[in-house]
Amino acid sequence: MEYGITARERGRRAYYFVKWSPLTRADRWTINATVPSVGGVYEIYWMDGHKHLRMLSVGDTHYGGLRTELRRLTDPELSLEQRVRRILEDNEIWFRYAPTDSPGIMSDVVWFFRKTYFPEDPGVSHSGRYEKIFLQESEPDKLIWVN
C-alpha cells in the first residue's frame, strides 16, 4: 500500500491504520498531476508568518475524488467563504491525503481526527458500526501544527 487506510475489526471495535501521502504544497498543477481522483480523507493546512502549520480543514470526499476536492478547497478563486479566501490568497497552503473507497471508513476516520483535534465540537459523526474506534498513523513527515 502506497498511501491509504486499512481496517481491522474485532467484535465491536475498529482498528484503522492511516498511511498519509507526503505533505505537499498546494497548487493546481501539482494537485492535478499527483493526486488521484478517488475517494479518501484529506487534511489542509496554511503556513503562518512564523512558519507554523495551522489546520484549515480535515474531511473526506466521495464523488469527484480527492483531486477535485483538494483543487476546490485550496484555490482562492473557487472559495465561497471570504475568511477562507483571504487565508488561501495570503499564505502557503499544504495538504496530505489517504485514499479509501469505503464511506464507512471515511466517516469513522474523519470523526476520529475531528474528535481529537476539536473535542468540544467535532461537527461530524462516525458510522455507528463500532463501539470503539482506534487509529494509528504513518506519515512521511513529522507534522506538528498549531491551533
Side-chain angles (χ1 to χ4, degrees):
M1 170 177 82
E2 188 175 345
Y3 318 121
I5 304 171
T6 56
R8 285 189 350 233
E9 64 180 69
R10 191 171 293 152
R12 298 273 302 146
R13 294 177 177 209
Y15 299 85
Y16 294 109
F17 181 73
V18 178
K19 186 167 184 188
W20 289 108
S21 69
L23 193 62
T24 304
R25 187 166 176 189
D27 69 59
R28 66 182 68 160
W29 300 280
T30 301
I31 292 171
N32 285 338
T34 63
V35 177
S37 193
V38 297
V41 173
Y42 60 83
E43 290 183 339
I44 301 172
Y45 301 88
W46 61 278
M47 182 83 68
D48 70 13
H50 300 288
K51 300 293 182 192
H52 295 134
L53 288 176
R54 296 184 176 270
M55 172 139 317
L56 182 62
S57 178
V58 58
D60 62 328
T61 181
H62 308 269
Y63 308 109
L66 288 162
R67 180 184 306 148
T68 301
E69 191 71 354
L70 286 169
R71 270 282 289 121
R72 183 181 73 77
L73 294 172
T74 61
D75 190 332
E77 295 175 12
L78 302 176
S79 179
L80 299 176
E81 189 179 331
Q82 193 64 26
R83 180 191 71 82
V84 173
R85 179 178 292 160
R86 277 195 302 275
I87 290 172
L88 296 174
E89 288 173 341
D90 298 341
N91 301 281
E92 289 181 10
I93 306 300
W94 296 79
F95 70 91
R96 65 184 184 173
Y97 62 88
T100 182
D101 59 358
S102 168
I105 289 174
M106 286 184 233
S107 176
D108 291 343
V109 169
V110 169
W111 172 83
F112 186 94
F113 285 130
R114 291 190 60 89
K115 185 72 173 163
T116 301
Y117 301 156
F118 316 109
E120 66 286 346
D121 183 20
V124 296
S125 58
H126 54 77
S127 68
R129 300 175 299 162
Y130 305 105
E131 290 175 6
K132 295 227 181 233
I133 296 172
F134 302 92
L135 189 139
Q136 183 179 8
E137 297 177 87
S138 172
E139 52 189 326
D141 309 292
K142 295 298 179 204
L143 182 59
I144 300 171
W145 57 273
V146 185
N147 276 338

